[in-house]
Each structure stands twice: as C-alpha cells, then as structure tokens.
C-alpha cells in the first residue's frame, strides 16, 4: 500500500468526521491526521441552470467534515501499527477461508501462490465488503443462524477530476463538498491538498443516459454539455478520464451474527457495508474499533465469546441505522437539496443550532455527536425532520423558542 498507487476503483479521498476522529484520537493519530484534512463546512449546491448556493452542515462554526486522502490515511495507520513491537504485518496474503471452530485461516501468498494455514487464538476479519471471513460464516448458515442480505443500487460510480490552478490552488470553493444534483443522477466533488478535486459521478447503469449507454466520445460529450456545462471548463480531460476509469458498484450488506464460536469476529465493511451517501462507512468502521476497545477494557479477563457477543450486540442496531440513513441521503443529495421545502427546513435547523446549544439536526447528530449511537441519532433526527417540515410548511419564519419547545416535547 505504501509502495503501490491507490487503486483507481476506490474513492481517492473521503469524508472524515467526528466518529472517525474520535477513534483516531484513541490511537494517538487525531492531530496528525487533522494536518492532512481539508475542512468542508457545507455543501455547495450547483442546481441545473440556477445559481450555486452554500448550505452549511451545521449552525455551529466548529462543526464541519473533512476531506482526507484514503491513501494518506492508510499509510498513517500502517506506520502507527508498525510502532508496536508485538505486531507484524504480512503483505500480499489473501485469506481464502477460515475454519471458524478452530480459528485456522488459510492464506494464499499473492506473489508465490503458496498456500499456508495459520492457527490462532482468534481471527478478526476486517477484510471489507467481499470478506472471506464472512463467507466462511455463511457456509455455516444453519449452525450459526447466519442472516445475510445484499442490496445493489442500480447506480454505480465513476471518478473524474478537476485539476489545480497553475499555481497549485483550487479552481472552485475549497472548503465545501460540491454537489451537482440532477434528479436521477448527480456529481459530487471533494477537495484534495494539491489543489485538485476528486469528482464522482453517481449514475444509473441503465436507461437512455446510463453508464451502459454512454459508450462513445460523442455521446459522453453531448451528455456533459447538456447536463453539466458549468463543470467542463474545470475538466478539459473529462472524456479521457471517463473512458479510462472504471465504474464501481454500490450496495448495502447486512448480516448477523458477527461472531462465531468465540473464535472469529468480523467488523467494518465485512460486517456492514453501506452506500457512501452519508460519508459514514469508514467513520462507522473506525467507531467499531473504538467500541471494541471499550468492550475489551470493560470485560478484561473474560472469554472471547462474551466479548465478541457484547460487541456485536452494541453495534448491530447502529450498523442497521447508518445503512438506512445512508440510503435516505442518496435521495436527498440527488433530488432534494435544491427543493424549496427542504431549503426552508435547513434554514430553520441552522437557526436552531445557532441559538440553542442543545439542538442538533439529524445530520449533526449523525456526523458531529459521536457519543450518540447511530440508532438514537436516527430516531431523534427523523422525528425532528418530520416536525420541522410540518412547521415550515405552515410558516417560513416561525418563533424559534416556540419551535424549540415543540422539539423538546418530542
Ligand atoms: C465511492 C466510495 C466513497 C466513500 N466515501 C466515504 C466517505 O466519504 N466517508 C466514509 O466514512 N466512508 C466512505 N466510504 C466507505 C469506506 O470506504 C468504507 O466503509 C471503509 O473503507 C471500510 O473499511 P474496512 O477497513 O472495513 O474495509 P476496506 O477499506 O475495504 O479494507 C479491507 C482491507 O482488507 C483487504 N482484504 C480484502 N479481502 C481480503 C482477503 N481475502 N484477505 C486479506 N485481505 C483482504 C483489502 O485489500 C483491504 O486492505 C466510501 C466508499 C466508496 C465505495
């Protein structure tokens, strides 16, 4: 990872927020990582044919999300891990399967092809959405009562880029997450430290203008000139990138249990892959590690099955919640961010956050309040959303103290 280029299929940068930072703090990396972050204080919305506008993430100036390089973060974590004398990293070893009852994992060396079995006390699988450890659990469906679901969106994603200015600056607002919402599809852009932006198309595979249909230079040009004309001056190379870069799939994976026989555990995307629209997949995975650390501390000396079970019970409901919220945000970002009622509700939320320290919108509960579990943030946030939408439909400028009373009565 430290020698190779980050693979083009995964997002080059991603949004790091309070839950991720809290976990990084636990391992002494928060400050180091903040130096590599670009604060994004809100969404910069670019409606079709309309004027761009800024929609802050919070009424509190200290609450923002951060754009960070995936490669940079991975490298910092590897360097940190190597500081531990009792930890050894073996690269290019693909786990093929795990014998769960004996915690014996079979690895294939990607360079030599050699197969090796390794027996351990426990196996913790953090091997991502395609997890081999999870697949071994699936092979024990009836004994583990293993539930599994996988839901692919009919949308995929492709990365493009906006280049830096000649002197290494940013061609568009640096401190924002840019969105070009277009209903059925959208483009977003996150800033990088070198002045570039990583631009991501979230786009249907099928249909008249889907990825599958945009298969010639002429069609791609005609599509971008019609839908995103304002972006083109910033990305003169977009047609080349469109054909060079792969299309990634997006989906939600849910499963339960996350542990087997007190010998194996999965966490991160291996246990709960989600769509990226809340910017929480990595944050949730880092939060898994922090909660696991809490459980280890609380149950020191107890057996692994107790520890693993406690951990999965604390996390499963919250993983479900963030999966749902991420799907909700898919619709919101594509279709609602420039909707009038939605804008009125956001304005009211900002005013409440500015005036009442105890008020947090749904977005803020999820993104800036790491002490509140996702499931609770979802319940509270949804109730608040319904109430505020009802209020702004009646009166665009309601009395804030009266609104706050109604929020409290929820
Ligand atoms: C387009 C996109 C944008 C995203 N944006 C954001 C964002 O803005 N904010 C956010 O919080 N999250 C975001 N995410 C989600 C985030 O990338 C994931 O949630 C996060 O990477 C999960 O971390 P993980 O360590 O569980 O899995 P991964 O990052 O997938 O890491 C798994 C690791 O295991 C290795 N591995 C896989 N299989 C095996 C095997 N069989 N044997 C050995 N090793 C194996 C892989 O090589 C990899 O190193 C985004 C995801 C996508 C696709």
């Amino acid at each position: 990872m430290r020698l190779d280029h980050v693979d083009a299929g995964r997002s080059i940068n991603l949004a790091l927020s309070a839950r991720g930072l809290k976990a990084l703090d636990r391992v002494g990396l928060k400050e180091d990582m903040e130096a590599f972050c670009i604060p994004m204080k809100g969404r910069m919305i670019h409606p079709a044919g309309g004027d761009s506008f800024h929609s802050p993430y919070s009424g509190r100036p200290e609450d923002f999300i951060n754009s960070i390089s995936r490669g940079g973060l991975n490298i910092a974590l590897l360097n940190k891990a190597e500081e531990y004398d009792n930890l050894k990293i073996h690269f290019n070893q693909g786990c093929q399967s795990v014998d769960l009852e004996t915690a014996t994992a079979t690895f294939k060396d990607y360079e030599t092809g050699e197969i090796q079995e390794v027996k351990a006390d426990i196996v913790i699988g953090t091997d991502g959405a395609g997890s081999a450890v999870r697949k071994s659990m699936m092979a024990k469906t009836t004994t583990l009562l293993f539930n599994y679901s996988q839901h692919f969106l009919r949308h995929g994603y492709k990365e493009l880029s906006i280049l830096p200015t000649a002197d290494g600056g940013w061609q568009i607002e640096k401190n924002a997450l840019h969105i070009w919402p277009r209903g059925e599809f959208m483009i977003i852009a996150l800033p990088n430290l070198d002045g570039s932006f990583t631009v991501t198309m979230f786009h249907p595979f099928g249909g008249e203008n889907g990825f599958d249909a945009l298969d010639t230079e002429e069609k791609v040009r005609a599509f971008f000139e019609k839908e995103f004309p304002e972006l083109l001056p910033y990305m003169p190379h977009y047609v080349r990138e469109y054909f060079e870069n792969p299309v990634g799939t997006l989906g939600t994976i849910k499963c339960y249990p996350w542990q087997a026989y007190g010998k194996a555990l999965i966490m991160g995307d291996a246990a709960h892959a989600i769509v990226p629209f809340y910017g929480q997949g990595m944050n949730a995975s880092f939060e898994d590690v922090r909660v696991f650390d809490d459980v280890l501390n609380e149950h020191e000396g107890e057996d692994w099955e107790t520890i693993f079970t406690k951990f999965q019970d604390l996390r499963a409901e919250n993983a479900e919640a963030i999966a749902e919220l991420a799907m909700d945000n898919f619709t919101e970002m594509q279709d609602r961010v420039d909707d009038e009622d939605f804008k009125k509700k956001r304005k009211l939320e900002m005013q409440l956050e500015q005036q009442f320290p105890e008020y947090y919108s749904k977005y803020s509960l999820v993104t800036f309040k790491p002490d509140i579990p996702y499931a609770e943030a979802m319940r509270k946030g949804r109730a608040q959303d319904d109430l505020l939408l009802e209020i702004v439909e009646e009166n665009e400028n309601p009395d804030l103290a009266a609104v706050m009373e109604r929020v409290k009565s929820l």
Side-chain angles (χ1 to χ4, degrees):
M1 211 175 253
R2 284 170 290 193
L3 302 174
D4 287 346
H5 200 67
V6 170
D7 46 334
R10 299 300 296 276
S11 62
I12 287 162
N13 56 19
L14 68 182
L16 171 67
S17 50
R19 291 174 198 269
L21 285 166
K22 186 168 174 178
L24 289 172
D25 199 25
R26 181 72 61 94
V27 295
L29 271 179
K30 180 168 174 255
E31 266 92 52
D32 291 359
M33 286 297 91
E34 277 172 342
F36 292 99
C37 284
I38 300 182
M40 297 185 289
K41 302 201 164 153
R43 294 168 171 164
M44 183 67 84
I45 320 281
H46 306 272
D51 291 335
S52 303
F53 63 93
H54 188 255
S55 171
Y57 279 125
S58 161
R60 298 177 182 83
E62 67 274 21
D63 288 343
F64 50 81
I65 63 173
N66 302 281
S67 178
I68 190 160
S69 142
R70 185 185 285 272
L73 191 54
N74 281 336
I75 288 168
L77 287 166
L78 281 172
N79 289 342
K80 188 75 189 176
E82 270 182 349
E83 287 175 13
Y84 291 81
D85 293 337
N86 59 351
L87 191 151
K88 177 144 175 47
I89 305 174
H90 302 265
F91 291 99
N92 291 318
Q93 304 292 319
C95 176
Q96 309 227 291
S97 63
V98 177
D99 179 344
L100 300 167
E101 278 140 293
T102 61
T104 305
T106 305
F107 289 97
K108 180 175 182 179
D109 186 313
Y110 287 141
E111 277 161 10
T112 63
E114 192 191 328
I115 302 283
Q116 198 194 155
E117 278 195 350
V118 182
K119 186 166 171 358
D121 293 333
I122 56 164
V123 173
I124 301 183
T126 59
D127 47 347
S131 172
V133 184
R134 189 188 65 235
K135 284 177 190 151
S136 295
M137 291 181 172
M138 285 175 78
K140 296 266 178 192
T141 306
T142 45
T143 34
L144 292 176
L145 303 178
F146 194 77
N147 291 337
Y148 174 77
S149 75
Q150 162 178 307
H151 175 260
F152 278 110
L153 288 188
R154 294 288 167 253
H155 282 60
Y157 71 96
K158 183 187 280 286
E159 297 200 324
L160 307 171
S161 65
I162 293 177
L163 295 177
T165 58
D167 57 359
W170 291 263
Q171 295 205 59
I172 54 176
E173 170 58 45
K174 170 189 171 191
N175 294 114
L177 187 152
H178 294 261
I179 310 180
W180 289 262
R182 297 292 183 267
E184 267 290 283
F185 47 86
M186 68 171 160
I187 280 183
I188 70 166
L190 273 72
N192 295 311
L193 282 173
D194 65 359
S196 66
F197 283 81
T198 303
V199 173
T200 310
M201 295 176 75
F202 290 104
H203 203 77
F205 286 101
E208 198 187 340
N209 285 314
F211 277 132
D212 296 343
L214 296 179
D215 56 357
T216 66
E217 290 198 5
E218 294 67 39
K219 287 185 199 167
V220 171
R221 260 183 234 290
F223 172 77
F224 273 83
E225 281 164 11
K226 176 162 177 268
E227 300 291 347
F228 301 104
E230 67 281 28
L231 256 173
L232 302 189
Y234 307 126
M235 336 194 291
H237 49 284
Y238 75 97
V239 176
R240 176 176 53 75
E241 281 188 339
Y242 181 92
F243 286 102
E244 274 175 11
N245 293 347
V247 177
T249 53
L250 298 164
T252 305
I253 289 174
K254 296 181 181 176
C255 67
Y256 191 85
W258 296 354
Q259 79 94 25
Y261 313 111
K263 289 283 185 188
L265 176 73
I266 45 175
M267 58 168 85
D269 274 18
H272 49 77
I274 61 177
V275 293
F277 302 105
Y278 229 109
Q280 285 294 320
M282 166 190 65
N283 286 285
S285 302
F286 281 173
E287 192 171 72
D288 278 355
V289 182
R290 182 188 56 81
V291 172
F292 188 66
D293 189 47
D294 287 341
V295 174
L296 275 179
N297 288 336
E298 276 165 30
H299 294 266
E300 206 182 328
E302 293 184 44
D303 62 276
W304 286 113
E305 185 147 17
T306 306
I307 290 167
F308 289 174
T309 305
K310 179 80 193 160
F311 168 74
Q312 77 182 7
D313 289 350
L314 279 173
R315 291 304 286 162
E317 180 195 25
N318 294 310
E320 283 267 343
I322 193 58
E324 265 192 53
L325 287 164
M327 279 303 294
D328 290 354
N329 243 26
F330 176 45
T331 327
E332 180 171 315
M333 288 172 81
Q334 286 200 120
D335 212 17
R336 299 220 55 215
V337 282
D338 54 354
D339 170 273
E340 283 313 313
D341 280 344
F342 180 83
K343 286 200 291 200
K344 285 182 206 160
K345 189 200 79 162
R346 278 305 285 161
K347 188 176 140 206
L348 180 56
E349 285 177 333
M350 293 301 112
Q351 291 169 332
L352 291 170
E353 288 192 332
Q354 279 156 7
Q355 199 143 327
F356 301 99
E358 70 274 33
Y359 181 80
Y360 281 80
S361 70
K362 182 176 77 187
Y363 186 85
S364 293
L365 288 167
V366 171
T367 311
F368 306 124
K369 289 289 273 180
D371 296 333
I372 296 192
Y374 284 124
E376 192 184 332
M378 181 173 79
R379 278 192 296 273
K380 274 193 181 171
R382 283 185 172 170
Q384 288 177 181
D385 272 359
D386 290 346
L387 176 67
L388 296 195
L389 273 170
E390 192 185 305
I391 291 174
V392 293
E393 272 169 26
E394 290 161 13
N395 178 0
E396 201 175 319
N397 292 303
D399 174 63
L400 291 184
V403 173
M404 197 56 207
E405 279 313 305
R406 288 180 69 183
V407 169
K408 279 186 193 157
S409 74
L410 288 175

